[in-house]
Structures are given as C-alpha cells and as structure tokens.
Amino acid sequence: LVTEPVDMRAFLDSTIEDLGTAVDAAGADLAITGESWTIMAQPSLLRMLITNLLVNALKHRHAHRALPVRIAMERTPAGAPSLTITDNGSGFPPGASEAIFLPFRRLNKKVEGTGIGLATCREVCRRHGWTITAHSDGQSGAVFEVALLEMKTLTAE
C-alpha cells in the first residue's frame, strides 16, 4: 500500500464538497469538529471510506427529522487520530454492529444499495492498519468510529 501525507481537515472538506448535491438533496447539515492533523494514507482508498460513511448517513436518514451529520476529529485514549461520524438517521439493530460490515448484507431493504459499502470501509481500514466500529440503538441514528492507528512500515500490496 503506497501512502502519502494527507491533511484530514482539507480532505474532509473536499470530500463533503464533492458530495454537495447529495448533501443538499437530503437536507443534511454536515459539520466537522476537533483538531486537524495529517495522517499517512492512500488518498483514493481514504476517499472511498469517507464517501461510503457519509453516503450511508444520507441514505439512512430518518424521514421525520432533520439530518445533522457530525464528523469529530479526535484522538483515541492511546493518542492515535480518530474520526467519529454520528448521524440521527434510522440506525441499525444493536446486535448487528458486526453484520453490517459483511459483504452484500443489507439490513434495510427499503434503502437502495448493493450491500458492499460498509464491507469496503472495513477493507480500507484493514489495508491501512486502522479499525472501524459501529454502534446504534436502532432508533436514534448510528455512530461510526475509525481509529487511524499510526502505520510503522509502508509496504507494497
């Protein structure tokens, strides 16, 4: 995997700008909070990760409430950079936090999709040495956390 330095704040701003039409159509309010930092990443894979997470938030919005999507740039207790993406959409059943990352596993058949978006997110994280987790109570939205662990060595894949 060939990586390069990526300024996360600028990268997130650019990705959100690219999704402008979809964000406007959903009536979403996207906001980024927290400190900015630079990570080592493969930009096209990172874009797939962020785009899939944001598009999921837009697609799985709750029909009767506004859609704030918050991207928090934080640090894990160990000090590694971390992204937390929170929405107030339809969420998913609490026991499905691992199943949603399986390929072709679609929990909500009413929402258009192929079922590979979150599996792609998990694979992008695996290739970078990162972790991704998801949480939901099934009613008040979803929270996705990506721990961007520091890569010690860069190898070709």
Side-chain angles (χ1 to χ4, degrees):
L1 183 67
V2 179
T3 62
E4 61 187 66
V6 176
D7 176 319
M8 277 306 293
R9 173 67 71 151
F11 192 87
L12 289 168
D13 286 339
S14 170
T15 302
I16 290 169
E17 186 177 319
D18 289 348
L19 292 172
T21 304
V23 170
D24 292 344
D29 171 29
L30 273 69
I32 304 167
T33 61
E35 64 180 289
S36 185
W37 18 255
T38 299
I39 62 165
M40 295 299 293
Q42 203 293 321
S44 63
L45 292 179
L46 181 59
R47 186 157 313 264
M48 278 195 287
L49 170 69
I50 301 301
T51 299
N52 275 317
L53 291 174
L54 294 177
V55 166
N56 262 11
L58 301 177
K59 287 193 319 186
H60 293 277
R61 70 181 306 242
H62 192 280
H64 304 293
R65 55 185 176 228
L67 179 61
V69 178
R70 301 295 172 250
I71 305 167
M73 298 176 66
E74 304 168 322
R75 293 215 175 256
T76 66
S82 172
L83 289 177
T84 303
I85 299 174
T86 306
D87 66 60
N88 72 340
S90 56
F92 54 87
S97 60
E98 280 301 312
I100 62 171
F101 291 107
L102 296 173
F104 308 109
R105 189 64 59 99
R106 295 180 56 226
L107 299 180
N108 186 346
K109 306 287 192 239
K110 295 176 185 172
V111 175
E112 193 173 317
T114 60
I116 61 168
L118 290 176
T120 299
C121 290
R122 174 140 297 160
E123 179 60 17
V124 168
C125 288
R126 185 197 67 77
R127 287 183 180 211
H128 283 86
W130 303 338
T131 60
I132 184 169
T133 56
H135 311 282
S136 177
D137 63 7
Q139 298 175 20
S140 57
V143 177
F144 288 86
E145 298 175 44
V146 180
L148 306 161
L149 309 172
E150 300 296 328
M151 294 180 63
K152 300 296 183 217
T153 58
L154 305 179
T155 59
E157 234 180 283

